[in-house]
Amino acid sequence: MRKSDSSIITIVGMRGCGKSTLTSRLSANPRFARKVVFDIVEEWKGTHQASTFEQFAGIWRETFYQPNYTIVIRYAFGIPADQIIELQTQICKLVYLTGRESGIETCIIFEEAQFYFPNHGLHPNNLHMLTTGRHAHINIIANTQRPASISKLLISQSAEIYMGQLYEMNDMKYLYDTVGDLALEARNLKPLEFLYYPVGYPEEIKLIEI
């Protein structure tokens, strides 16, 4: 697949279409060897795990200069949504500041990105990360089963979009502004099939199967 200078990959598709599997495979790229995963679905196994900012900061100090790591962020059962966002933005601010100073790349993975990048009420830290994260050497892989619920900023800043099976018309209409008629083809996809769209390069659109 075409290498891009941009650092955001977005994966959309209904539940069970293979988003997490594709996310995992894409994150195996050596460029993404240093990973922080916001694992709201509790599917990731990492080298380290944290559920508070203090835990993360301690792990971060120990591992940041290592060539390979996966720090998985897990949430306490029943934690309110505003506390999830508070924890996530604190962690991402630390990653941002460290990356800007060091020049070392980090890949941040967001499972169910609608929780972090909602269509309304996007946290200022997340807005800043989406628009300037490349300056802090941050790569992002974000997936969602509800594309109509995510900020259009995430879509517009993406270099690559992988579109899996979708049935909701609202989701397809929402994606139409970015991918055009390609959005309507999502209904015909099978599980584990994705349309790969390198934004700005329509001639390179292709069907992939994972």
Side-chain angles (χ1 to χ4, degrees):
M1 294 176 187
R2 185 183 57 85
K3 293 183 179 179
S4 170
D5 292 331
S6 186
S7 58
I8 299 177
I9 299 171
T10 299
I11 303 167
V12 302
M14 62 185 293
R15 183 178 181 182
C17 75
K19 296 187 304 298
S20 291
T21 300
L22 179 57
T23 300
S24 179
R25 292 191 182 183
L26 292 175
S27 74
N29 185 322
R31 182 184 178 190
F32 305 143
R34 300 176 175 91
K35 292 185 277 289
V36 176
V37 183
F38 290 94
D39 185 23
I40 203 166
V41 296
E42 299 189 359
E43 292 185 351
W44 285 77
K45 294 181 180 179
T47 56
H48 303 80
Q49 184 172 313
S51 57
T52 68
F53 178 73
E54 291 73 21
Q55 288 176 351
F56 176 82
I59 295 168
W60 189 242
R61 284 192 297 269
E62 295 174 2
T63 63
F64 178 71
Y65 289 102
Q66 296 179 11
N68 296 277
Y69 57 77
T70 301
I71 306 173
V72 177
I73 312 303
R74 291 278 175 83
Y75 306 106
F77 181 79
I79 183 174
D82 60 336
Q83 292 183 28
I84 289 177
I85 295 301
E86 181 64 24
L87 174 59
Q88 175 261 313
T89 54
Q90 281 185 310
I91 289 172
C92 287
K93 182 178 180 180
L94 178 58
V95 173
Y96 184 98
L97 294 174
T98 311
R100 190 175 63 183
E101 292 297 320
S102 68
I104 295 175
E105 282 191 302
T106 303
C107 179
I108 305 179
I109 296 171
F110 295 95
E111 290 278 359
E112 298 302 338
Q114 70 273 8
F115 289 103
Y116 310 102
F117 308 107
N119 204 7
H120 302 286
L122 182 65
H123 193 285
N125 285 8
N126 286 338
L127 185 152
H128 191 67
M129 180 173 60
L130 289 179
T131 54
T132 68
R134 64 190 180 279
H135 301 311
H137 306 278
I138 291 176
N139 302 294
I140 293 173
I141 303 176
N143 69 48
T144 181
Q145 60 179 304
R146 298 170 58 191
S149 297
I150 61 172
S151 170
K152 284 196 173 181
L153 184 63
L154 174 63
I155 298 294
S156 69
Q157 293 295 314
S158 295
E160 301 175 9
I161 298 172
Y162 290 82
M163 188 170 60
Q165 192 176 48
L166 291 169
Y167 284 132
E168 293 292 333
M169 187 57 67
N170 284 343
D171 291 330
M172 288 183 278
K173 287 181 178 178
Y174 190 76
L175 291 171
Y176 186 85
D177 289 342
T178 302
V179 302
D181 291 336
L182 192 67
L184 303 178
E185 297 183 29
R187 182 172 289 180
N188 300 320
L189 294 173
K190 300 175 183 177
L192 304 182
E193 287 185 342
F194 289 85
L195 286 167
Y196 167 66
Y197 176 46
V199 178
Y201 297 84
E203 69 279 4
E204 295 185 25
I205 294 170
K206 60 184 176 182
L207 178 69
I208 65 169
E209 186 173 352
I210 61 172

